[in-house]
Amino acid sequence: MSGQQGETAEQSIGEFTLAGSPGAARTAEAEVPRPDEEWDLPHGFARVYYGEGNRGIVRPVVMADGFNLGRSDLDALYRGLDGDFPFLSELRRRGRDIILLGYDDRGASILENAEAVIAAVLRTSAEQLGDAPLTVGGFSMGGIVTRYALAKMEYQRMDHRTRLYFSYDSPHRGAVIPIGLQAFSHFMPVANNFARQMNSSAARQMLWRHYNNEDGTVRTDPEREKFLEALREVGGWPMIPLKVAVANGRGDGTGLDVPPGQVALASTGKLVYPGTTFFTQAEGHEVVVAELKRLFPKAEKTITTSGFPALDGAPGGSLNSYGILGNMLKKFGATVELNHPDVCFVPSVSAVAVRDIDQPADLYANIDELSPEESELDDYVCSSETTGHTAITEELCTWLMDRLPE
């Protein structure tokens, strides 16, 4: 590889994103049916799929997309929700009408995208045949967007007619992307999609801690603080519907096999970020989580954290965070040591709103042994095995379908 090729490679690594949508890992093999209706909404859009035997919207389930960069891809979302377990097909077989909701910009503020949810709920009610109650919820960030939207409607005394609110591996107490990865997105010498994603409003609002590329500090981002305050102002949660959640992580305190302080990913060759190394999150003060090195232009940077629990191996829905970057490095010619491709993204305690994730005892709590009253939700379930973030499994989907209102 020439110097020019090496420079081009280092500049091109960042053209990826870490997705929080069920459609992220699906391929195009499944056929997506033609929707019965398509709606344009403020800051978003929706597709409507009638339930089996229905000639209009009768028993509606509004489902909101998750986090990524740019406009929602509802074809990919449909495939993701109807893949390994045919969740949407089973809902429609049971006579449920699906309103699949996307955003013009998945990285926009949760407060902005909540306007699309509010509009979808009102239109669903206006066009519905009969008076069956609504089910409203979402996947990953979609569960947070719908939570805020329904709470805001109640605060403004708007009738949402929703009897069941659900979230699917949504980060009610925050999501986690390793600080070293966040820092690397800005260490790359050119603007890139990964950096844009990490600095998006939605990322700043949902991440438990955010890397500030302007001064290198690690903190609760001010946008998260403002969002949490806006959420408190509308009551925190919708109070009228039953509130349920599912977690892709386990509930017995067992996390991923990711020991703290170990090499997660390293570029071990002589070209393409040579010597760049990421370590799994460990507890302690000034803990090194990444050694960043590049050739074009030559630079080095050490990234540290203080006061963090061992997040990467925590019980929770996992994300192929290091695996995605490792594959991009290899694609552009790097030699890679990849030991821990998957790490925790949404801790189980966050997904079921039972504990904060600041302290190790809370992060690794045995949820199954806690009083259900510790959760802010009315009911919840954790996966019996660690699964990928928003993985659509028969276990979780069956539990959720059994709780849909008649």
Side-chain angles (χ1 to χ4, degrees):
M1 182 184 291
S2 69
Q4 181 63 45
Q5 288 172 321
E7 183 174 2
T8 301
E10 287 199 337
Q11 292 177 350
S12 302
I13 297 294
E15 294 310 303
F16 69 94
T17 58
L18 300 178
S21 168
R26 301 301 303 174
T27 57
E29 78 278 3
E31 182 178 350
V32 176
R34 182 186 299 274
D36 295 292
E37 299 181 36
E38 294 187 78
W39 299 346
D40 288 325
L41 304 167
H43 307 294
F45 54 101
R47 293 179 181 174
V48 181
Y49 300 90
Y50 299 156
E52 195 171 293
N54 297 345
R55 296 190 176 184
I57 299 173
V58 180
R59 302 168 75 198
V61 181
V62 179
M63 297 179 159
D65 193 12
F67 173 60
N68 206 320
L69 196 63
R71 183 177 171 87
S72 291
D73 182 345
L74 293 188
D75 281 345
L77 181 60
Y78 195 104
R79 293 188 188 102
L81 293 174
D82 216 46
D84 296 329
F85 177 76
F87 188 29
L88 298 188
S89 293
E90 182 60 24
L91 284 169
R92 297 178 71 192
R93 188 189 68 79
R94 298 185 183 198
R96 304 286 177 171
D97 310 294
I98 307 299
I99 295 90
L100 208 56
L101 174 66
Y103 319 110
D104 293 335
D105 179 5
R106 287 171 288 186
S109 169
I110 292 170
L111 306 182
E112 180 177 298
N113 282 332
E115 296 304 311
V117 174
I118 292 172
V121 168
L122 292 175
R123 183 160 178 176
T124 298
S125 291
E127 296 193 9
Q128 183 181 5
L129 307 175
D131 59 359
L134 278 65
T135 295
V136 178
F139 304 87
S140 187
M141 180 187 74
I144 307 298
V145 177
T146 49
R147 169 184 167 183
Y148 176 79
L150 293 176
K152 182 178 180 180
M153 293 182 77
E154 291 182 8
Y155 181 76
Q156 295 182 340
R157 300 186 183 280
M158 301 169 70
D159 185 9
H160 54 58
R161 298 187 54 250
T162 301
R163 186 174 295 173
L164 181 74
Y165 157 81
F166 76 90
S167 65
Y168 202 110
D169 214 41
S170 298
H172 294 293
R173 303 293 179 91
V176 179
I177 291 175
I179 294 299
L181 286 180
Q182 294 187 46
F184 182 71
S185 75
H186 304 290
F187 187 71
M188 287 179 273
V190 294
N192 60 85
N193 282 342
F194 187 31
R196 282 189 283 270
Q197 185 187 32
M198 291 301 95
N199 260 2
S200 67
S201 291
R204 291 169 178 263
Q205 290 168 336
M206 287 189 298
L207 287 174
W208 173 70
R209 293 291 183 268
H210 185 262
Y211 177 84
N212 181 1
N213 64 298
E214 294 181 0
D215 60 13
T217 57
V218 179
R219 60 183 180 173
T220 302
D221 193 89
E223 284 207 41
R224 176 164 178 78
E225 294 175 339
K226 291 177 183 177
F227 167 67
L228 293 176
E229 178 58 31
L231 191 58
R232 285 190 290 269
E233 286 178 0
V234 296
W237 294 86
M239 291 293 106
I240 295 172
L242 186 74
K243 301 179 291 294
V244 304
V246 302
N248 282 109
R250 291 171 62 151
D252 61 359
T254 302
L256 290 82
D257 184 16
V258 181
Q262 304 296 307
V263 173
L265 170 65
S267 180
T268 57
K270 295 182 179 180
L271 297 170
V272 191
Y273 299 102
T276 289
T277 305
F278 300 92
F279 302 92
T280 56
Q281 182 67 59
E283 298 179 41
H285 181 68
E286 296 294 320
V287 172
V288 175
V289 293
E291 295 282 4
L292 307 181
K293 301 178 182 182
R294 71 176 186 231
L295 295 176
F296 306 102
K298 191 173 180 62
E300 296 186 4
K301 193 168 191 176
T302 299
I303 309 300
T304 63
T305 61
S306 294
F308 275 45
L311 291 159
D312 291 337
S318 64
L319 194 63
N320 190 228
S321 304
Y322 289 115
I324 293 171
L325 176 55
N327 288 335
M328 288 296 290
L329 288 167
K330 286 190 287 186
K331 177 181 177 180
F332 288 97
T335 303
V336 167
E337 176 189 344
L338 178 60
N339 299 316
H340 299 291
D342 302 301
V343 292
C344 177
F345 179 50
V346 176
S348 296
V349 292
S350 178
V352 300
V354 71
R355 295 278 177 90
D356 287 326
I357 63 178
D358 306 60
Q359 300 300 319
D362 291 335
L363 180 64
Y364 284 81
N366 188 329
I367 298 170
D368 296 341
E369 294 183 352
L370 297 179
S371 168
E373 295 179 356
E374 287 203 37
S375 174
E376 296 173 287
L377 297 152
D378 297 306
D379 201 3
Y380 59 81
V381 69
C382 296
S383 177
S384 59
E385 299 293 338
T386 298
T387 49
H389 173 59
T390 66
I392 302 302
T393 69
E394 182 175 2
E395 176 188 27
L396 298 180
C397 291
T398 299
W399 184 92
L400 186 57
M401 287 189 291
D402 287 346
R403 279 151 185 81
L404 296 180
E406 293 302 325

